[in-house]
Amino acid sequence: MSLSIVVMFVGGLVALVLGAGWLVRGAAKLALSFGISPLVVGLTVVAFGTSAPELAVSAGAVLDGKVDIAIGNVVGSNILNVLFILGASALIAPLVVHLQLIRQEVPIMIAATVALLLMMLDGVLATWEAAVLLGAMVIYTVFLVWQSRRQGASADTEFEDEVDLSSTWDRHWAVQVGLIVAGLAALVGGSHFLVEAAVTTAKQLGVSDVVIALTIVALGTSLPEVATSITAALKGQRDMAVGNVVGSNTFNILGCLGVSGILSSSGLAVAESVIHFDAWVMLAVALACLPIFITGREIARWEGVVFLLYYAAYTAYLILASQAHDVLPQFSAVMLYFVVPLTVITMAVSLFQHRRAGRAS
């Protein structure tokens, strides 16, 4: 890999992260200046901001004709968000899971994942299907705002901290508009450099664009989620770490692929490997959240370790498969017939013990 490609890749990542931060800050402060409540700003601008890199990269990839990166970026980011980010955050401190996440947000994330999988089974995410996803995103956002408004002033207070009203240097509307423009420019430029670097790297390594998108690009565009969740865990805001990941996964499917699919007049072609493997891993990861969240309403450290090990195994599988390595069949057999059943049994026992403890109390 040449130095110019490394510079392009790192520069693209830095531009994406900075651009997302500038866009969120400028848009949030500008909205507050117009009298929009911190609650609405937190549920829209701030929530969507952490997924801005995924949106920029996926949309930019479609416009550049690199559809595999658009799909792979979202699928890979959703897998990484749960297995890597929640796993790493849980190692710092066991993560508390809000009851609303269990009853509402996780089922919505699972429903969005199932809907996407069904849409992709025919090998293409049609333009009208992308429009349905984007429409669902709008409805979901409106519902969240309506629901949170019923909570009253406490919700506004919660989001005041998230929006950060204490700073004074960006109070003028001209500065806020400047931040928005600079953020958008950085996102567009960063996504272009990242996509170009990823495609060039894939060709040099002899692997497909999909594999690069599922791993390196997914990790790069998920950096805001990584930073937000781990910082929240370090600060003791353990419920925020979980909520950030669940919300980001839902937006990635409904928002990122919704916008990207609409930008393509012929829809988004889905790679066979994604249809037959990666999309199902994404679904399995989403489904695994529910029983793990229910057991004690927290993600324990040992569960975080399991998440991280599964992400390492998934990445190893992608690398072995891309190289058609001789050890791939044995690796797959161990995962399928030993590791996965053992994990399912462990989760089932944990869930049973939790229910029995609940009945005893």
Side-chain angles (χ1 to χ4, degrees):
M1 188 184 300
S2 65
L3 180 61
S4 61
I5 297 301
V6 174
V7 171
M8 186 183 299
F9 194 89
V10 174
L13 287 180
V14 171
L16 285 172
V17 174
L18 291 177
W22 295 337
L23 177 63
V24 167
R25 190 174 194 89
K29 283 298 187 73
L30 188 62
L32 292 171
S33 299
F34 280 98
I36 300 175
S37 72
L39 167 65
V40 176
V41 174
L43 285 171
T44 55
V45 177
V46 176
F48 297 165
T50 56
S51 291
E54 284 94 339
L55 175 57
V57 167
S58 293
V62 169
L63 295 176
D64 288 340
K66 310 293 192 307
V67 176
D68 283 348
I69 289 183
I71 297 285
N73 175 41
V74 168
V75 174
S77 291
N78 279 19
I79 294 171
L80 181 141
N81 282 350
V82 173
L83 296 183
F84 180 80
I85 297 179
L86 287 187
S89 300
L91 283 183
I92 296 172
L95 301 178
V96 177
V97 182
H98 251 295
L99 192 59
Q100 178 175 328
L101 279 172
I102 299 172
R103 290 179 174 176
Q104 177 177 300
E105 310 306 333
V106 173
I108 289 175
M109 178 186 71
I110 293 173
T113 305
V114 171
L116 176 62
L117 180 59
L118 293 175
M119 290 177 177
M120 295 193 303
L121 286 178
D122 61 354
V124 62
L125 181 66
T127 304
W128 72 267
E129 291 172 327
V132 169
L133 293 178
L134 189 58
M137 183 73 247
V138 173
I139 294 172
Y140 176 54
T141 303
V142 172
F143 169 73
L144 282 180
V145 173
W146 171 82
Q147 183 184 57
S148 299
R149 280 189 177 278
R150 298 178 62 189
Q151 298 175 5
S154 60
D156 263 340
T157 302
E158 175 187 344
F159 282 97
E160 282 178 3
D161 297 331
E162 193 170 344
V163 176
D164 183 18
L165 299 175
S166 59
S167 63
T168 57
W169 63 271
D170 54 354
R171 282 186 175 178
H172 196 277
W173 68 267
V175 177
Q176 296 161 1
V177 172
L179 284 172
I180 294 173
V181 173
L184 288 173
L187 285 171
V188 172
S191 66
H192 174 72
F193 286 129
L194 187 63
V195 169
E196 287 300 315
V199 172
T200 303
T201 302
K203 291 178 179 177
Q204 291 180 352
L205 296 178
V207 299
S208 66
D209 293 351
V210 175
V211 173
I212 294 296
L214 288 166
T215 53
I216 300 175
V217 176
L219 177 59
T221 56
S222 291
L223 284 178
E225 287 93 337
V226 173
T228 301
S229 295
I230 291 181
T231 300
L234 288 171
K235 290 182 177 180
Q237 299 168 325
R238 298 179 294 166
D239 57 334
M240 186 181 295
V242 181
N244 174 56
V245 165
V246 174
S248 176
N249 278 15
T250 302
F251 178 79
N252 284 348
I253 292 174
L254 302 181
C256 294
L257 287 183
V259 172
S260 301
I262 290 176
L263 291 176
S264 175
S265 58
S266 58
L268 303 179
V270 186
E272 288 290 325
S273 59
V274 172
I275 297 173
H276 296 304
F277 180 70
D278 302 292
W280 294 98
V281 173
M282 179 178 64
L283 176 60
V285 166
L287 291 172
C289 286
L290 206 50
I292 289 177
F293 287 5
I294 290 175
T295 54
R297 288 177 56 187
E298 73 171 16
I299 304 175
R301 281 193 171 92
W302 72 266
E303 291 170 327
V305 171
V306 170
F307 276 7
L308 288 173
L309 290 177
Y310 265 111
Y311 187 71
Y314 170 69
T315 304
Y317 177 88
L318 289 180
I319 295 173
L320 292 173
S322 68
Q323 302 296 326
H325 201 282
D326 294 339
V327 79
L328 181 61
Q330 293 87 341
F331 179 85
S332 302
V334 170
M335 292 297 300
L336 182 61
Y337 299 113
F338 178 72
V339 177
V340 173
L342 182 62
T343 305
V344 172
I345 292 171
T346 303
M347 290 171 55
V349 170
S350 179
L351 183 58
F352 172 76
Q353 291 176 340
H354 167 69
R355 286 186 173 180
R356 190 169 66 173
R359 289 173 182 173
S361 60

